[in-house]
Amino acid sequence: MAIVINSAALSGINAFMVSVEVDITRGLPSFNIVGLADTAVRESKERVRSAIINSGFNFPVKRITVNLAPANLRKEGSLYDLPIAIGILMATNQISFSNSNEYILLGELSLNGNINPVNGALTIVLEGLSKSFTKFIVPLKNAEECSITEKSQIYPFGNLIELINFIKYRDMLPYHKSKIKSKTKYKLDFSDVSGQTACKRAIEVAAAGKHNIILLGPPGSGKTMIARRIPSILPKLSYKEAIEITKLYSICGELNDNNMITRRPFRNPHHTCTKTSLIGGSTKLTPGEVSLAHTGVLFLDEMLEFNKNVLEALRQPLEDKTVMISRASGSVIYPSNFMLVGALNPCPCGFYGSSKPCTCTDYDRKKYLSKLSGPLLDRIDIFAFVNDIKYSDLTNREFENESSETVRKRINYARSIQKERFSKCNFYCNSDMKSEDIKKYCKLDAKSSSILEFVYNKYHLSIRAYNKILKVSRTIADLDKKENIEKEHILEAIQYRNFLNEHII
């Protein structure tokens, strides 16, 4: 009779249950693994054989067949080593695991029997809980991330002998996580930024409504400095958001401290990155930067230095808030609901609009900025110019710069209004509003409507750009604690597209 051990497999950000069936019969010695297994799974035969022998047990010289069910779904990785080894030991009566059906097992075995960590352990635990499993046998180094959930009973082990002793004697209590370490304090603070009042206001509006923003300005004006401080003014992660982003980092193996992520991500890929590293993919269908920035900030410094094809690939994630990756090995969907922040120079020499003379012609500037296509620019809500820093801004001690905590309080208030407004929707920020939501929550009076009509006709705005102005206006009204959008809010929102209208379109 075949032995059945419970395990799981990853599919994007989710997991599905896998039954590891082990059957040992008489015949010519062989070891076969079936069930649409990839190379890493098939190679587990040698790891399992050596781990069993080096742990002091006998490896059967018989016909061994391992089936990973369901057989029609692809299995990847090395996490099946442990359940296969336990199945073989049970099938040869070297151990007795009477209630094995209550546990989910996962782990990679080394040749000497150590149990190595695997990627995506948290995702598997969450899937097991949804299927009424509460007991999990995991590698010791995965214990921290797997114990994030309260209802799970985690049994971590460092090697095969420890696990087998537990199966024999049941002399161990579930791993208990004392407390989730919260890391919400930032070393970078907005009080470090001198001057730039208009730019900081634009950043505050963008953060309050989770709007995409591009910062334009000469070299050394502080674009990167300001962008790196945006996470310090964003609201804290909710528990649901923290679990979702932790699952993504667990799949990628980027949980360095094996703890829950409590800060909003800030991803800053270099401009030489490829489309695959930005969007995700490869043969293993791993998440890219757009997914690792989920719930946080994706910062593209020197945005115009990125390959144009790489920038164009952002269009779909910015619009749909998800990214579908399709390859010959399968298709997965990852969340990518991030706030895009771009920084770029306004011209090839970099000094257009600054105190230094610009040596570029109008043609040079338009050609330089043409790497940002119309469809991509349509998906940007706010354009802010970062001016040169004046000497008086650096030396003036009369007025103290606002701290990130002060700005965050205003942003939290605006977000609380949005959370209440969209309590019956599946989103929580103004930037995520659809057409029907805009009609309901962004009503204009006669003066505001006539101003917007003039701008719409003058600059031949697209419907998407029109909606962006309304969304930003709604956010400004929330910061201003106003129930309705007023003329001042519309004018400020239009101003955030003014540089775009005059110099790019």
Side-chain angles (χ1 to χ4, degrees):
M1 185 177 72
I3 299 296
V4 179
I5 303 293
N6 297 314
S7 191
L10 297 173
S11 178
I13 196 175
N14 299 312
F16 59 89
M17 300 305 300
V18 171
S19 296
V20 179
E21 303 171 351
V22 180
D23 184 53
I24 301 178
T25 58
R26 295 178 181 178
L28 290 174
S30 64
F31 193 169
N32 298 310
I33 298 178
V34 297
L36 207 59
D38 74 343
T39 303
V41 179
R42 293 195 297 269
E43 287 177 347
S44 68
K45 294 184 289 187
E46 305 306 323
R47 293 192 296 270
V48 169
R49 179 186 286 109
S50 297
I52 289 176
I53 294 172
N54 292 331
S55 297
F57 296 91
N58 298 320
F59 190 84
V61 186
K62 295 182 179 180
R63 184 179 179 84
I64 304 172
T65 304
V66 176
N67 178 44
L68 306 178
N72 64 321
L73 296 176
R74 188 175 182 83
K75 321 299 186 309
E76 298 179 345
S78 55
L79 61 91
Y80 305 104
D81 293 3
L82 187 60
I84 290 173
I86 295 299
I88 290 174
L89 293 175
M90 290 175 62
T92 55
N93 296 318
Q94 297 185 67
I95 63 171
S96 176
F97 197 179
S98 58
N99 62 337
S100 61
N101 62 324
E102 297 178 6
Y103 293 81
I104 290 178
L105 282 72
L106 58 142
E108 175 189 318
L109 289 174
S110 67
L111 298 183
N112 60 3
N114 290 332
I115 303 175
N116 296 327
V118 296
N119 294 344
L122 175 61
T123 302
I124 293 172
V125 169
L126 293 171
E127 174 64 18
L129 289 173
S130 69
K131 296 293 189 295
S132 300
F133 287 93
T134 57
K135 299 178 180 179
F136 303 88
I137 293 175
V138 303
L140 184 61
K141 291 184 178 179
N142 287 124
E144 285 286 325
E145 63 172 290
C146 292
S147 58
I148 288 173
T149 56
E150 297 178 355
K151 296 181 180 179
S152 60
Q153 298 179 35
I154 305 300
Y155 297 89
F157 298 96
N159 57 60
L160 192 57
I161 295 175
E162 290 179 0
L163 171 56
I164 291 171
N165 287 335
F166 167 74
I167 292 173
K168 286 182 178 179
Y169 306 112
R170 307 297 170 89
D171 55 352
M172 177 181 173
L173 295 173
Y175 179 85
H176 177 67
K177 190 179 187 70
S178 57
K179 187 178 180 181
I180 295 176
K181 299 177 183 178
S182 179
K183 295 181 179 180
T184 54
K185 291 185 178 180
Y186 294 88
K187 295 180 180 178
L188 304 177
D189 196 275
F190 258 86
S191 60
D192 302 329
V193 182
S194 300
Q196 304 295 5
T197 305
C199 180
K200 287 192 283 188
R201 167 64 178 179
I203 291 289
E204 182 178 336
V205 173
K210 199 173 70 61
H211 300 290
N212 302 318
I213 182 172
I214 285 183
L215 305 177
L216 305 98
S221 58
K223 302 185 294 295
T224 303
M225 179 184 183
I226 294 171
R228 290 187 182 278
R229 283 156 175 75
I230 291 177
S232 67
I233 63 173
L234 293 176
K236 294 180 180 179
L237 283 171
S238 66
Y239 180 77
K240 182 180 178 181
E241 289 175 324
I243 286 290
E244 196 168 23
I245 190 62
T246 304
K247 283 169 62 178
L248 280 166
Y249 277 70
S250 175
I251 291 169
C252 295
E254 292 200 20
L255 282 179
N256 297 325
D257 56 357
N258 294 316
N259 209 335
M260 179 185 282
I261 294 176
T262 55
R263 287 182 179 178
R264 293 191 180 272
F266 181 84
R267 304 296 295 190
N268 181 19
H270 193 261
H271 62 258
T272 57
C273 75
T274 63
K275 188 190 298 186
T276 299
S277 64
L278 187 67
I279 303 301
S282 77
T283 55
K284 293 185 178 180
L285 302 176
T286 53
E289 293 292 335
V290 296
S291 297
L292 295 176
H294 179 61
T295 73
V297 175
L298 176 64
F299 175 47
L300 302 184
D301 200 5
E302 301 297 342
M303 194 173 180
L304 292 179
E305 298 303 319
F306 282 78
N307 188 288
K308 186 171 183 178
N309 291 333
V310 174
L311 293 177
E312 290 302 305
L314 289 170
R315 285 157 59 173
Q316 186 259 340
L318 286 173
E319 189 72 16
D320 299 339
K321 311 300 182 184
T322 59
V323 57
M324 175 180 282
I325 303 171
S326 298
R327 299 290 185 270
S329 56
S331 298
V332 295
I333 298 177
Y334 289 115
S336 58
N337 193 356
F338 57 89
M339 175 182 169
L340 176 66
V341 179
L344 52 95
N345 297 327
C347 65
C349 77
F351 298 111
Y352 177 71
S354 70
S355 57
K356 293 184 179 181
C358 174
T359 60
C360 307
T361 64
D362 288 341
Y363 174 78
D364 292 333
R365 284 194 291 270
K366 287 183 180 288
K367 184 180 179 181
Y368 181 70
L369 296 170
S370 64
K371 188 177 285 189
L372 299 175
S373 67
L376 179 60
L377 291 171
D378 252 1
R379 289 164 169 81
I380 306 300
D381 306 53
I382 296 174
F383 295 82
F385 196 86
V386 186
N387 296 299
D388 283 334
I389 299 292
K390 297 179 181 179
Y391 183 77
S392 58
D393 292 330
L394 297 174
T395 57
N396 188 359
R397 305 300 180 188
E398 184 178 350
F399 299 102
E400 186 177 351
N401 296 322
E402 281 190 320
S403 67
S404 293
E405 188 60 33
T406 302
V407 180
R408 177 188 269 184
K409 288 179 181 178
R410 295 197 295 266
I411 290 173
N412 283 337
Y413 180 82
R415 286 285 185 103
S416 66
I417 294 174
Q418 296 168 52
K419 186 177 180 180
E420 183 179 353
R421 177 185 298 135
F422 305 126
S423 58
K424 296 181 180 179
C425 305
N426 59 352
F427 58 89
Y428 54 89
C429 286
N430 288 332
S431 64
D432 296 328
M433 286 192 290
K434 306 299 181 184
S435 298
E436 58 272 18
D437 303 308
I438 293 173
K439 292 179 181 177
K440 183 177 180 180
Y441 300 114
C442 299
K443 296 178 181 179
L444 304 178
D445 56 26
K447 287 185 178 180
S448 301
S449 182
S450 62
I451 292 171
L452 189 53
E453 180 183 4
F454 173 79
V455 173
Y456 182 88
N457 292 328
K458 179 179 179 179
Y459 296 112
H460 308 288
L461 299 181
S462 66
I463 295 176
R464 185 184 285 115
Y466 167 80
N467 287 335
K468 293 288 186 185
I469 292 176
L470 289 176
K471 291 177 183 180
V472 174
S473 302
R474 180 66 269 174
T475 300
I476 297 169
D478 292 339
L479 284 170
D480 205 20
K481 302 179 182 180
K482 299 291 185 179
E483 184 177 350
N484 299 315
I485 297 174
E486 298 177 0
K487 181 181 70 173
E488 293 76 13
H489 308 141
I490 281 287
L491 288 172
E492 185 176 351
I494 291 172
Q495 177 231 329
Y496 290 136
R497 297 191 74 87
N498 192 42
F499 185 88
L500 168 71
N501 295 330
E502 292 185 358
H503 302 284
I504 298 181
I505 294 180

